[in-house]
Amino acid sequence: MSDTFLMAAGMGGMIIALVHGYLGQTIVLPSFSGGTPPVRRVNQAVFQLSTLYWFAGGIALICAALFMEQGERTIIVAMVSFLYVTGAIGNFWATRGRHPGWFLLALVTGLALIGS
């Protein structure tokens, strides 16, 4: 059963990352009209790096469920949970809780911790 929770957490993290990247690229980033072109490129890079990290975390959780022993799984879950929970805290703080991303990342973190 723990494998199911880890795989659900991994898939959830990957879906969150893909939606985050798509909506960010099509809606959020084009609305940043201020700043010089280098500043806009930095904003885009930082925004999309979180997408990449969340997607990679999802892959790591799925691989942990399928291929790793208990000790390795615990390490992967701890690292990915830290990644997701810091994203959830940052999202909650930045949007004062009005954005659903913090809840979704917290939910995925909970699934990963249950699956470890």
Side-chain angles (χ1 to χ4, degrees), residues 18 21 38 41 43 46 52 60 72 75-77 81 85 107 115:
L18 291 174
R41 283 194 303 272
N43 282 339
V46 170
L52 175 67
E72 298 163 332
I75 293 169
I76 294 295
V77 168
S81 293
V85 82
L107 179 68

Side-chain angles (χ1 to χ4, degrees), residues 3-29:
D3 291 345
T4 304
F5 282 111
L6 276 182
M7 290 175 54
M11 289 300 295
M14 291 167 60
I15 291 168
I16 290 168
L18 291 174
V19 171
H20 178 265
Y22 175 76
L23 293 177
Q25 195 67 36
T26 59
I27 297 171
V28 176
L29 291 170

Side-chain angles (χ1 to χ4, degrees), residues 89-109:
I89 291 168
N91 191 307
F92 184 83
W93 175 77
T95 65
R96 295 181 175 87
R98 292 181 297 231
H99 187 281
W102 73 270
F103 177 76
L104 294 173
L105 285 172
L107 179 68
V108 170
T109 301

Side-chain angles (χ1 to χ4, degrees), residues 13-97:
M14 291 167 60
I15 291 168
I16 290 168
L18 291 174
V19 171
H20 178 265
Y22 175 76
L23 293 177
Q25 195 67 36
T26 59
I27 297 171
V28 176
L29 291 170
S31 70
F32 293 153
S33 59
T36 62
V39 169
R40 287 195 299 271
R41 283 194 303 272
V42 167
N43 282 339
Q44 184 175 18
V46 170
F47 193 93
Q48 294 300 354
L49 275 176
S50 59
T51 298
L52 175 67
Y53 295 155
W54 294 340
F55 193 84
I59 291 172
L61 289 174
I62 291 172
C63 288
L66 295 176
F67 305 117
M68 296 183 187
E69 300 296 325
Q70 186 58 41
E72 298 163 332
R73 287 167 63 131
T74 302
I75 293 169
I76 294 295
V77 168
M79 290 189 314
V80 174
S81 293
F82 178 77
L83 175 75
Y84 286 169
V85 82
T86 55
I89 291 168
N91 191 307
F92 184 83
W93 175 77
T95 65
R96 295 181 175 87

